[in-house]
Amino acid sequence: MPKKAKSEDMDLLAKVKANLIITHDADDVLIKSFIVAAVDYAETFQHVATGTYTKEPMPPSTEQAVIMLTSHFYESRDGSTAGFFADSTQASQQVWNTVNMLLRLNKNWKC
């Protein structure tokens, strides 16, 4: 299976870090692991083959969903909170609702 060019991986990492307002590199390995999980979720949700987004570019709405979900994973590492900026107990559910709505835009409905 072909791998993404390192520059493409770094571009997504840079976008996630910009979304999180992170300027250090100390958590890059952790963030990359969350990116892998978010991309896996996107591919599964959209009913596309595993590894699709290592071979093909992500549609912009899918990329935004991956950025949001990765940020959510980072901010809610223990799974019990909605993230650093959450002021609502419903914030976590809203993240998932928004991510799923974005992913539906490129879902393969033929499955």
Side-chain angles (χ1 to χ4, degrees):
M1 169 187 324
K3 293 290 284 176
K4 264 189 192 179
K6 223 174 195 55
S7 63
E8 291 177 53
D9 286 337
M10 294 307 292
D11 186 46
L12 191 52
L13 176 62
K15 289 176 182 180
V16 170
K17 287 173 70 173
N19 191 61
L20 289 165
I21 315 170
I22 293 176
T23 57
H24 60 81
D25 297 334
D27 289 342
D28 283 6
V29 171
L30 179 63
I31 294 169
K32 286 178 187 178
S33 72
F34 292 146
I35 290 171
V36 169
V39 169
D40 182 62
Y41 179 80
E43 290 173 337
T44 301
F45 185 95
Q46 292 178 332
H47 299 148
V48 299
T50 299
T52 293
Y53 296 129
T54 61
K55 298 176 243 172
E56 301 173 18
M58 276 184 213
S61 56
T62 298
E63 182 179 79
Q64 183 59 40
V66 167
I67 291 166
M68 290 177 68
L69 190 53
T70 302
S71 297
H72 176 64
F73 290 159
Y74 181 84
E75 291 180 332
S76 307
R77 284 171 249 188
D78 66 356
S80 67
T81 63
F84 181 75
F85 293 106
D87 60 356
S88 164
T89 57
Q90 299 299 320
S92 180
Q93 185 60 51
Q94 187 57 45
V95 169
W96 284 99
N97 290 344
T98 303
V99 165
N100 289 339
M101 181 178 58
L102 287 166
L103 292 175
R104 275 188 205 100
L105 296 173
N106 297 291
K107 186 172 183 174
N108 179 358
W109 294 96
K110 297 176 188 172
C111 294

